Amino acid sequence: MDTLATTLPTVSTRTNPTTTVFLQDTCLQHKYIRTRDSSHIVERPERLRAVKIGLCAAIARSKTFHLPKGHPIKVVQSSAKVDMLNHPPVKFIHGDVDGDVYLEKLVDWALHSVEKITNGQSEIPSELNQGDLYMCPTSLDAIQGALGTVTAFVAIRPPGHHCGEDSPHGFCFVNNVAVGAAHAHLNHGVKRAVILDIDLHHGNGTQSVVWQINEEAYRARLEAEARAPFEPGLQVYYGSVHDILSFPCEDGKPHMVQAASVSIHGPHGQYIENVHLEPFESEEQFWNLHYRGAYSKLLCKAEDFVKMTGGSSDDTIVFISAGFDASEHETPSMSRHNRKVPTSFFHRFTKDACEFANKWANGRIVSVLEGGYSDKALLSGTLAHLTGLVDAGTATAKEDNSKETWWSSENVQRLEKLVKKQRRGAPPSSLGSADAPPCQWFDRTAALLAALDPAPRSSAEPSSSRSGFVPPTMMTLRARKTPSSASPTMSPDRTKTDQSRPTATATAVSSSSTAVSTPETSPPAITKKLPRVILKVGPRPAETPP
């Protein structure tokens, strides 16, 4: 939020065409340390590197290498952090009446994560979803760094839109967008915030927080009508387009499905619109039927909200919860119900959102990374989204069509090779290959990436904390199946990850063959258990006559 305080006035109007992108490398420190095997973890540090490639590709497409002053895209490597236990905007969203119980618990989970895991326990309380939530000592730095960097397009993790006031959920521990809105209200006089959520999954946490904020504003208005002292508070519109069949509604829990289907505008002071993604057979059907139809309601209802609340554009701000997991390039394990959008959606919707912000919020718009888990979904979504931020109010429909080739499947595949090359530690010098001639903008992308992320570490490198803790290795043997054994039933509490993959619950540290050593304790003795070998002797073969 310190970044927001210093830059909001300069990016609040489209007369200055600069789009500022904030990168926060502290967010890479949020890691899974429960075991060394993190292959089932989709909310991973490498997500930010895929975003950087999309960013570099967007800059390279603008034919500028050195990013001179006044360039449409300005990159800021942020080091801003907040002390969330003593930060008013964070406490506005996640504070408790009787003390900051949730925030204190969050700090405690991170600081004692190594101790818990060393003792064979999970660092996350058992009543919470073990498959979606994890922590390490440096997770606290990542979360507070994310909170300190919310302006323009902000590439941060972990995401936030599933987190309610005191309920972490779906990879999310703090609601970044809601805290950003609270900061704008407490420090910049903003009275109305518009939140547009385009993640594949419903932002149940954001909607819950928004409901509470609006409820308080509505109560204050009723008291004012009774001639009580009245101080106008923050009012928020929340609009989401999402897959009703996916997390957190995949199990069909009534309260989740109902919340993700609410459409209410005015009664009880609430302004919420939920739209469900639908499958499409062609891009023509997507744009003509879905986008111009139901999906456009998000911005139409947002406009109604601004008109009904009667404020001026000087006290309004727009946020985009920019999740890219509805992308056509997302993995099938994440997008299991075929509710997707073409990559151009992230370009078109961003442009439309910016035009809305120009009309109703003096151009103030902040986009914050939420979901998106495959490299192709993240880099293509970022490229299209940033291009939309730069193009807002300037590009024609014809130019829009021409830019669709920027994120064509062929170009996305080439950029994905750069992600893989980066993970192997090879210098990202060129994207040319034997079957595809070198392209100038690809080479610019590689060169820019080398400057933004010069020495990436391999994703296979074991995570470690300040204490030098090394995650344990799982060595539990699989149980032998017998013909009479029943097939295991699926847990009713599904996670956002692929159901065919092992969850974090299944990899909890419980094996007696696992040894964990820390600087404070000596490693325990390891007792090796050899597997029992069973020999079966069959009938003696018949003798063959000589």
Side-chain angles (χ1 to χ4, degrees):
M1 297 315 148
D2 297 338
T3 306
L4 183 58
T6 58
T7 62
L8 184 57
T10 63
V11 300
S12 62
T13 174
R14 298 304 296 185
T15 57
N16 177 4
T18 301
T19 295
T20 306
V21 179
F22 286 88
L23 305 174
Q24 173 60 276
D25 285 345
T26 304
C27 294
L28 296 170
Q29 298 181 22
H30 177 54
K31 301 175 182 179
Y32 178 81
I33 65 169
R34 208 170 294 162
T35 69
R36 292 188 189 180
D37 179 14
S38 61
S39 60
H40 58 289
I41 300 299
V42 297
E43 205 297 287
R44 64 200 196 285
E46 290 80 5
R47 294 178 63 232
L48 295 186
R49 294 174 185 144
V51 168
K52 287 180 181 179
I53 290 176
L55 163 63
C56 293
I59 297 173
R61 279 295 194 180
S62 67
K63 300 181 180 180
T64 302
F65 180 80
H66 294 294
L67 299 179
K69 185 176 180 180
H71 184 268
I73 300 179
K74 176 183 178 182
V75 180
V76 176
Q77 290 276 10
S78 175
S79 59
K81 296 182 183 180
V82 303
D83 177 4
M84 61 185 183
L85 292 179
N86 298 288
H87 196 262
V90 180
K91 294 162 73 70
F92 185 89
I93 300 298
H94 296 288
D96 299 295
V97 175
D98 298 325
D100 299 323
V101 177
Y102 172 65
L103 296 175
E104 291 174 355
K105 286 181 179 179
L106 207 59
V107 172
D108 184 74
W109 297 342
L111 295 181
H112 293 89
S113 56
V114 169
E115 178 185 353
K116 292 274 190 180
I117 292 172
T118 302
N119 292 331
Q121 302 172 335
S122 172
E123 77 284 10
I124 298 297
S126 59
E127 66 271 16
L128 298 177
N129 196 318
Q130 303 294 304
D132 287 345
L133 302 174
Y134 64 87
M135 273 205 159
C136 69
T138 49
S139 292
L140 200 58
D141 295 331
I143 293 170
Q144 295 186 142
L147 290 172
T149 314
V150 178
T151 310
F153 174 65
V154 191
I156 54 176
R157 60 175 289 275
H161 74 150
H162 291 305
C163 184
E165 179 185 4
D166 58 357
S167 53
H169 201 206
F171 311 144
C172 306
F173 292 94
V174 172
N175 199 305
N176 303 312
V177 164
V179 172
H183 175 90
H185 170 60
L186 296 175
N187 295 284
H188 296 278
V190 166
K191 299 298 183 183
R192 295 176 303 173
V194 171
I195 300 176
L196 306 169
D197 193 333
I198 56 174
D199 193 276
L200 174 68
H201 308 96
H202 179 238
N204 56 307
T206 302
Q207 181 170 306
S208 174
V209 169
V210 166
W211 192 283
Q212 294 177 66
I213 292 174
N214 287 340
E215 187 176 44
E216 178 62 23
Y218 183 66
R219 180 196 60 77
R221 195 185 78 185
L222 293 179
E223 291 179 353
E225 293 175 355
R227 299 181 180 179
F230 175 64
E231 176 66 27
L234 177 65
Q235 292 178 284
V236 186
Y237 165 83
Y238 175 72
S240 172
V241 55
H242 54 267
D243 178 16
I244 191 65
L245 300 177
S246 289
F247 179 94
C249 304
E250 191 164 25
D251 294 320
K253 295 177 180 177
H255 66 287
M256 288 294 187
V257 175
Q258 291 166 10
S261 306
V262 166
S263 177
I264 182 171
H265 303 279
H268 304 286
Q270 300 300 334
Y271 303 92
I272 294 172
E273 180 66 22
N274 284 293
V275 176
H276 300 161
L277 287 170
E278 297 290 345
F280 61 94
E281 297 179 357
S282 66
E283 291 212 11
E284 181 180 4
Q285 181 191 33
F286 176 85
W287 293 111
N288 293 335
L289 180 62
H290 297 321
Y291 190 84
R292 292 182 180 177
Y295 301 171
S296 65
K297 289 176 63 178
L298 256 63
L299 289 170
C300 292
K301 293 298 184 181
E303 186 168 340
D304 291 344
F305 160 74
V306 176
K307 293 177 179 177
M308 292 172 67
T309 51
S312 68
S313 59
D314 291 332
D315 67 358
T316 305
I317 190 170
V318 178
F319 287 89
I320 301 178
S321 277
F324 302 126
D325 41 3
S327 166
E328 60 188 309
H329 298 296
E330 187 56 271
T331 57
S333 61
M334 182 59 64
S335 182
R336 294 186 284 276
H337 306 287
N338 199 33
R339 265 58 175 178
K340 301 179 180 180
V341 298
T343 305
S344 294
F345 166 82
F346 300 113
H347 177 253
R348 172 68 179 276
F349 184 86
T350 302
K351 281 190 58 183
D352 291 345
C354 287
E355 291 175 6
F356 173 88
N358 290 341
K359 182 177 180 180
W360 298 106
N362 281 346
R364 298 186 188 93
I365 188 164
V366 177
S367 178
V368 182
L369 179 65
E370 295 286 0
Y373 301 97
S374 77
D375 294 330
K376 292 170 68 175
L378 285 163
L379 66 89
S380 63
T382 300
L383 171 57
H385 180 57
L386 285 176
T387 304
L389 287 173
V390 173
D391 285 348
T394 60
T396 65
K398 183 177 180 180
E399 290 172 332
D400 285 348
N401 294 334
S402 68
K403 289 181 178 179
E404 289 183 2
T405 61
W406 292 14
W407 42 83
S408 67
S409 295
E410 180 183 5
N411 286 337
V412 171
Q413 289 175 0
R414 289 182 180 180
L415 290 171
E416 186 187 26
K417 293 180 181 179
L418 180 56
V419 181
K420 295 177 180 178
K421 179 183 293 186
Q422 189 185 23
R423 286 178 180 170
R424 293 194 300 267
S429 57
S430 175
L431 289 176
S433 61
D435 59 346
C439 180
Q440 188 177 15
W441 79 275
F442 278 120
D443 292 338
R444 287 197 188 102
T445 299
L448 286 166
L449 181 63
L452 285 179
D453 205 3
R457 294 190 300 173
S458 170
S459 59
E461 181 180 341
S463 303
S464 60
S465 67
R466 299 187 188 96
S467 64
F469 170 77
V470 177
T473 302
M474 290 306 303
M475 299 174 63
T476 305
L477 297 175
R478 292 182 179 179
R480 291 174 59 90
K481 291 185 178 180
T482 60
S484 60
S485 62
S487 60
T489 58
M490 182 175 290
S491 169
D493 189 12
R494 298 189 183 185
T495 70
K496 290 176 69 172
T497 56
D498 181 3
Q499 302 304 323
S500 64
R501 297 181 181 179
T503 64
T505 305
T507 57
V509 182
S510 59
S511 172
S512 60
S513 60
T514 303
V516 180
S517 61
T518 65
E520 293 82 7
T521 60
S522 58
I526 301 177
T527 303
K528 293 185 177 181
K529 295 182 179 180
L530 297 178
R532 184 173 58 179
V533 178
I534 301 176
L535 298 178
K536 293 185 178 180
V537 180
R540 182 174 182 177
E543 294 184 359
T544 305

